[in-house]
């Protein structure tokens, strides 16, 4: 076994336009969560490698910011084309290291590419404003200028998409960039950087540093790094936000979630079931926009419980690469154990088990980290399972009498990433949209993920900062405004 481990490839970093071996002395295994196979070793890069990446990125910034925006986006057009060419290969890589089904990986990658496409609009999106004769003979302009070096610290659940909520906008605006992928799923970014390497970008514009806490802390403290985007759990998000802002950086941190959906009795139950089953169990529940609590009203208690239980039971669980599989494993053994422990705690705190997905036997994948879809009923809103982010395929059902009770329950939650309503009533939908305390709202939508040209909002404990990722918010995050007030003493018409 130890022989096998030493044969595993050690993933390089990509700094200053070159692949380079890390000087790390500690490594983590990258594991296929469906099979338990070890795929590679990822170095836990020391702070010195973040420093090197920041130094070269700072150097590259001097000329990159002077490269006209229409020229900068030519690299993004090329990147889009390369990603399209490698679409299937990249999707397979996401599935192999992250566990989701191939279709889910394709969907993730499509979202990544949409962000590249949107950032190609930077010559329009980055425009400032101007005002002639703000006073007699005086004009005023507002320009947007890039900040310098920026970095992203990414989570495990969307290895292909999440760096792309930030990277294309950052470089299109004239910044230079460092990507720190999750140490659990570093392979997809390795492949993306093979494509980035083919773009002919000036060295140092985009850099890749693998690692974990030491690399993150080095990013948070580095004096040359001006802006940091983080996506991950709320505890780490809070830590990253406070340490990096204390160091004077511009920071946006997207945190965890506990997303509620409300099902009214007038909802189209077939459609609602299909959509919400995908929300709760798709990506094995490891989406920050996964439905985690379903609040039923009136007759929906019976009808929805029956239909969602049937949908959960019939979901085909297995290796995401296999045809017909609808749900893959969770990311790690620790994660599976944590999810199963929380399910047990839910039962111990009084919830009724509708479908118990613990310890399934998936033939041929005995080493995989599988949890089948799980549903608990009559969950006490104050219980652990109703309040804790589970990040697994577990749906808690809670019944209330009125839509006001339901919205109150939604708004009691500590997180505010997403809330959804299923109904045929426009009036109910409007009330919900208006009153629900969450940054992403779905009406008859189960995963209310904003398109690339909208900001990925998130409220309360789901977000620390001000400007969100994607769209126009990204432009504001990756630029600083400069206002120029201008007067010319001579009358131009008399000069010639
Ligand atoms: P995580 O917080 O464990 O890790 C995220 C990143 O932080 C990784 O790159 C990791 O190396 C680093 N990190 C972890 N612990 C650290 C520490 N103590 N100090 C410094 N750095 C540290 O998150 P995860 O398990 O990879 O991802 C799942 C979480 O991400 C869930 O909570 C999920 O809701 C959240 N998420 C949120 C969004 C969103 O848009 N709000 C999107 C995707 C995932």
């Amino acid at each position: 076994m130890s022989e096998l481990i030493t044969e595993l490839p050690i993933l390089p970093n990509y700094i200053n336009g070159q692949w380079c071996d890390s000087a790390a002395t500690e490594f983590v295994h990258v594991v296929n969560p469906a099979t338990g196979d070890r795929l590679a070793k990822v170095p836990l890069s020391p702070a010195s490698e973040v420093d090197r990446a920041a130094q070269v990125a700072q150097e590259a910034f001097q000329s990159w910011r002077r490269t006209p925006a229409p020229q900068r986006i030519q690299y993004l057009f090329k990147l889009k084309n390369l990603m399209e060419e490698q679409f299937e290969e990249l999707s397979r890589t996401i599935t192999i290291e992250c566990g989701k089904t191939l279709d889910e990986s394709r969907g993730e990658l499509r979202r990544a590419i949409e962000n590249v496409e949107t950032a190609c609009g930077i010559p329009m999106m980055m425009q400032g404003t101007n005002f002639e004769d703000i006073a007699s003979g005086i004009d005023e302009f507002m320009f947007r200028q890039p900040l310098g070096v920026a970095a992203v610290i990414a989570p495990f659940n969307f290895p292909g998409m999440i760096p792309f909520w930030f990277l294309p906008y950052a470089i299109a605006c004239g910044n230079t960039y460092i990507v720190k992928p999750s140490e659990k799923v570093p392979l997809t970014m390795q492949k993306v950087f093979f494509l980035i390497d083919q773009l002919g970008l000036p060295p140092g514009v985009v850099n890749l540093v693998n690692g974990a806490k030491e690399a993150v802390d080095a990013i948070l403290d580095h004096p040359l790094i001006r802006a940091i985007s983080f996506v991950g759990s709320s505890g780490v998000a809070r830590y990253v936000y406070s340490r990096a802002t204390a160091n004077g950086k511009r920071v946006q941190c997207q945190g965890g979630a506990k997303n509620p959906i409300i099902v009214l009795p007038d909802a189209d139950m077939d459609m609602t079931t299909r959509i919400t089953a995908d929300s709760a169990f798709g990506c094995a529940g490891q989406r920050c926009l996964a439905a985690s609590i379903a609040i039923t009203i009136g007759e929906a208690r019976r009808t929805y419980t029956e239909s969602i239980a049937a949908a959960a039971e019939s979901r085909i669980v297995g290796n995401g690469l296999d045809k017909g599989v609808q749900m893959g494993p969770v990311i790690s053994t620790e994660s599976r154990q944590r999810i199963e422990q929380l399910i047990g705690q839910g039962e111990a705190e009084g919830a009724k088990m509708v479908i118990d997905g613990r310890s399934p036997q998936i033939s041929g994948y005995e080493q995989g980290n599988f949890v089948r879809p799980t549903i608990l009923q009559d969950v006490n809103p104050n219980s652990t399972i109703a309040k804790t982010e589970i990040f697994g395929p577990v749906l808690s059902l809670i019944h209330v009498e009125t839509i006001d009770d339901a919205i109150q329950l939604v708004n009691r939650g500590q997180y505010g990433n997403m809330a959804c309503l299923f109904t045929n009533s426009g009036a109910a939908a409007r009330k919900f949209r208006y009153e629900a305390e969450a940054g992403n709202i779905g009406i008859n939508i189960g995963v209310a993920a904003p398109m690339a040209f909208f900001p990925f909002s998130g409220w309360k404990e789901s977000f620390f900062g001000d400007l969100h990722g994607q769209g126009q918010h990204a432009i504001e995050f990756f630029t600083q405004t400069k206002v120029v007030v201008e007067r010319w003493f001579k009358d131009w018409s008399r000069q010639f």
Side-chain angles (χ1 to χ4, degrees), residues 154-157 180 183 213 230-233 254-256 288 389 456:
F156 80 80
N157 62 330
K180 204 299 281 175
E183 65 278 20
K213 186 165 172 53
F230 169 91
V231 182
S233 53
Q254 297 184 208
C288 66
E389 179 179 38
F456 193 106

Side-chain angles (χ1 to χ4, degrees), residues 356-412:
D356 188 349
R358 286 174 291 185
S359 314
Q361 291 308 307
I362 308 293
S363 174
Y365 298 109
E366 285 71 21
Q367 303 307 313
N369 308 311
F370 292 98
V371 183
R372 285 190 60 84
T374 297
I375 299 180
L376 293 123
Q377 195 181 20
D378 296 335
V379 172
N380 181 337
N382 296 318
S383 63
T384 313
I385 200 166
K387 293 199 284 197
T388 309
E389 179 179 38
I390 301 172
F391 225 52
V394 182
L395 187 65
S396 296
L397 304 182
I398 299 177
H399 186 73
V400 298
E401 293 306 320
T402 67
I403 187 165
D404 283 303
D405 294 342
I407 293 175
Q408 218 174 45
L409 201 54
V410 166
N411 292 349
R412 262 175 52 186

Side-chain angles (χ1 to χ4, degrees), residues 125-415:
M125 294 164 86
M126 204 182 156
Q127 283 181 12
T129 49
N130 55 57
F131 207 111
E132 223 168 29
D133 283 328
I134 197 97
S136 180
I138 297 179
D139 307 327
E140 196 157 317
F141 310 89
M142 189 199 78
F143 296 98
R144 289 194 175 280
Q145 296 194 334
L147 300 166
V149 184
V152 58
I153 301 159
F156 80 80
N157 62 330
F158 285 96
M161 175 181 72
I162 286 178
F164 280 91
W165 285 350
F166 313 102
L167 185 156
Y169 305 97
I171 62 169
C173 286
N175 302 278
T176 51
Y177 214 57
I178 301 172
V179 177
K180 204 299 281 175
S182 164
E183 65 278 20
K184 292 178 187 147
V185 290
L187 298 178
T188 306
M189 273 301 119
Q190 286 277 314
K191 296 222 162 146
V192 165
F193 270 75
F194 277 114
L195 305 183
I196 287 177
D197 190 46
Q198 295 169 37
L199 298 179
L201 272 167
V205 171
V206 189
N207 305 277
L208 173 73
V209 180
N210 288 293
K213 186 165 172 53
E214 184 175 345
V216 171
D217 286 349
I219 290 172
L220 306 183
D221 294 343
H222 202 288
L224 291 177
I225 298 178
R226 294 284 313 279
I228 296 172
S229 305
F230 169 91
V231 182
S233 53
S234 287
V236 184
R238 193 184 296 104
Y239 162 75
V240 166
Y241 187 74
S242 54
R243 185 156 168 172
T245 50
N247 286 328
K249 300 184 192 313
R250 187 176 286 190
V251 192
Q252 50 182 191
C253 293
Q254 297 184 208
K258 182 80 188 169
N259 304 306
I261 59 163
I262 301 175
V263 184
L264 295 189
D266 69 345
D268 176 331
M269 219 38 86
D270 285 347
M271 185 90 90
T272 301
T273 303
R274 191 172 55 71
I275 292 171
T276 59
D278 185 54
S279 176
F281 310 130
C283 296
Q286 299 171 116
R287 280 190 190 117
C288 66
L289 296 180
S292 182
I293 296 174
I295 305 168
T296 56
I297 294 174
E299 181 59 6
R301 174 187 200 149
R302 186 184 61 77
T303 52
Y304 181 70
T305 306
E306 282 173 11
S307 62
I308 193 71
E313 212 150 28
S314 65
R315 210 155 182 96
I316 300 165
V317 179
N319 184 339
L321 287 181
D322 293 344
K323 228 177 166 162
V325 164
Q326 296 170 313
M327 195 184 102
V330 296
I331 190 68
S332 63
T333 309
E334 299 73 49
S335 180
R336 176 175 60 74
Q337 287 167 344
R338 189 181 151 276
I339 293 164
E340 292 188 343
Q341 187 266 329
L342 277 163
I343 295 170
Q345 194 165 348
E347 242 187 332
E349 287 179 343
K352 283 192 214 126
M353 190 66 76
V354 181
I355 307 268
D356 188 349
R358 286 174 291 185
S359 314
Q361 291 308 307
I362 308 293
S363 174
Y365 298 109
E366 285 71 21
Q367 303 307 313
N369 308 311
F370 292 98
V371 183
R372 285 190 60 84
T374 297
I375 299 180
L376 293 123
Q377 195 181 20
D378 296 335
V379 172
N380 181 337
N382 296 318
S383 63
T384 313
I385 200 166
K387 293 199 284 197
T388 309
E389 179 179 38
I390 301 172
F391 225 52
V394 182
L395 187 65
S396 296
L397 304 182
I398 299 177
H399 186 73
V400 298
E401 293 306 320
T402 67
I403 187 165
D404 283 303
D405 294 342
I407 293 175
Q408 218 174 45
L409 201 54
V410 166
N411 292 349
R412 262 175 52 186
Q414 68 181 105
Y415 298 101

Side-chain angles (χ1 to χ4, degrees), residues 1 4-5 8-9 11 27-43 92-100 156-157 159 182-188 286 319-321 328-336 365-370:
M1 190 67 170
L4 196 67
I5 292 170
L8 286 174
L11 304 180
F27 300 85
V28 170
H29 285 117
V30 185
V31 179
N32 179 330
T35 62
D37 291 343
R38 289 172 166 181
L39 305 169
K41 291 205 285 183
V42 60
R92 275 182 71 80
T93 306
I94 294 173
T95 292
I96 288 167
E97 69 174 345
C98 190
K100 59 183 70 172
F156 80 80
N157 62 330
S182 164
E183 65 278 20
K184 292 178 187 147
V185 290
L187 298 178
T188 306
Q286 299 171 116
N319 184 339
L321 287 181
V330 296
I331 190 68
S332 63
T333 309
E334 299 73 49
S335 180
R336 176 175 60 74
Y365 298 109
E366 285 71 21
Q367 303 307 313
N369 308 311
F370 292 98

